[in-house]
Amino acid sequence: MDRIILHCDGNNFFASCECTVRPELRKVPMAVAGDPESRHGIILAKNDLAKKAGVQTAEPIWQAKRKCPNLVCVPATFDLYHSFYERINKIYLSYTDLVEPFSIDESFLDITGCMHLHPGKSPRDIADEIRERVKAELGITVSVGVSFCKTFAKLGSDYKKPDATTVIFREDVPSIVYPLPVSDLVFVGKKTTEILSAHAVKTVGELAQLSENYLVRILGKQGKDLYTVVHCLEESQVRDFYDYVAPKSVSHGMTFRRDLVGENEVKSGVSVLADRVASRLRFEGFKGSVVQVTLRDPSFKQIQRQKKLSHPTYLQKEITDISMELIRANWDFSKPIRLITIGVNELVPKDEETVEQVSLFDMEESHTDTKKQEAIEDTMASIREKFGDKSIKFGYSSDSELGIK
Ligand SMILES: [Mg+2]
């Protein structure tokens, strides 16, 4: 029997959350913006009135205001969105434990094993019931895709919105999925779309006509995955919400395509690694209070240094700064580096209150700086969640020669 998988996606999520706590915002065109004080801040979400005026997600505020001069921009309040994330997933968990959050406003549910608890109801009925409950209890709308695999469930929630259910069972794939552009498939990004387009493949149906060997030849492992998906063979599981083991530390290492020499090259490498570590910490919901750096030279000589911080962090900037401080104190930059690993240990849940042991003298300043940097990185994280990891970068330049992407 086929599995029954739902993908539930909150509509205009950030804007919808803001409108539930400030209903007056429903009456005006409104957008949640990263850095609303600056004309160059970008639109993260908008309500229906703003959408009607042509405001688009990810465009700069000045551009949105040109289309919609009375647009009200409010700053992002991530605590609020997180509380909605918890409440919405609690509703999903009343149906099944197999709830896998995919981002702050999207979750997969596998309801195969609990259909018998809802006699007389179809999968569509359950999806509709979930939508009605979320709307009634939280005041926001979700769109739901129902399918036998995760990829098409995700496609379904995108197919019709807001506040709609789309069912894509096996028999619906040729009529619903095949006419869609390949870029509608999750994980098919710009680059893959370009490669496929160069092979005259624009739609999912055209993709389904290629052999597995051909797809592997042009796309590598992703070709195999895509073949599996478009031939309805995808079996990836929805994780159990409670099946989670907290990490003890988070680290990321990289051997560079060529050795790094000089402070600037080393800093580029360190920034990228710190970024990965920071994203992972944020995703897992932790901060850590020890930063550790491991360096290896071309003859495999290795040093490892660490520093205990006065407060736990998950900030890319702080992890970068401390790593560089450790390297500066322990490494001669004229010597080549082959591998760098950055790690953060002694993790605590990110929301746990911690006493910051900073001296009274610099307390105020350092506290506001940290809060400011957290706000910046929170905004960046949300942009990446929505638009992909590559949509926004910290101040390092990518350097493909060094194997840094
Ligand atoms: Mg959404």
Side-chain angles (χ1 to χ4, degrees), residues 296-352:
R296 192 182 286 167
D297 76 5
S299 64
F300 289 85
K301 209 183 99 206
Q302 186 166 304
I303 65 159
Q304 190 170 69
R305 295 290 182 274
Q306 61 177 46
K307 181 174 174 178
K308 172 121 179 134
L309 318 182
S310 56
H311 57 279
T313 185
Y314 60 5
L315 294 177
Q316 188 265 0
K317 185 176 181 307
E318 215 162 354
I319 300 168
T320 303
D321 289 349
I322 289 159
S323 303
M324 285 308 290
E325 188 187 313
L326 284 167
I327 298 173
R328 247 176 243 121
N330 294 285
W331 193 264
D332 170 0
F333 282 113
S334 65
K335 290 196 299 185
I337 296 179
R338 179 182 160 78
L339 171 140
I340 304 178
T341 301
I342 305 288
V344 173
N345 311 333
E346 295 194 14
L347 305 186
V348 292
K350 125 171 122 65
D351 300 321
E352 198 164 275

Side-chain angles (χ1 to χ4, degrees), residues 260-267 324 332-337:
L260 306 188
V261 184
E263 185 163 351
N264 283 342
E265 285 191 1
V266 173
K267 185 155 187 204
M324 285 308 290
D332 170 0
F333 282 113
S334 65
K335 290 196 299 185
I337 296 179

Side-chain angles (χ1 to χ4, degrees), residues 113-175:
C114 51
M115 286 305 294
H116 69 281
L117 299 174
H118 308 273
K121 284 188 183 159
S122 68
R124 177 187 288 276
D125 293 337
I126 295 182
D128 288 343
E129 185 183 299
I130 291 176
R131 280 198 298 114
E132 291 307 323
R133 273 191 63 188
V134 174
K135 196 164 33 174
E137 292 174 32
L138 304 184
I140 67 174
T141 62
V142 293
S143 47
V144 185
V146 183
S147 190
F148 54 91
C149 69
K150 286 163 89 175
T151 304
F152 293 160
K154 166 114 175 105
L155 199 74
S157 70
D158 231 15
Y159 192 78
K160 199 170 166 212
K161 54 187 183 186
D163 201 12
T165 299
T166 301
V167 177
I168 305 177
F169 286 147
R170 265 173 216 279
E171 58 274 22
D172 310 310
V173 170
S175 61

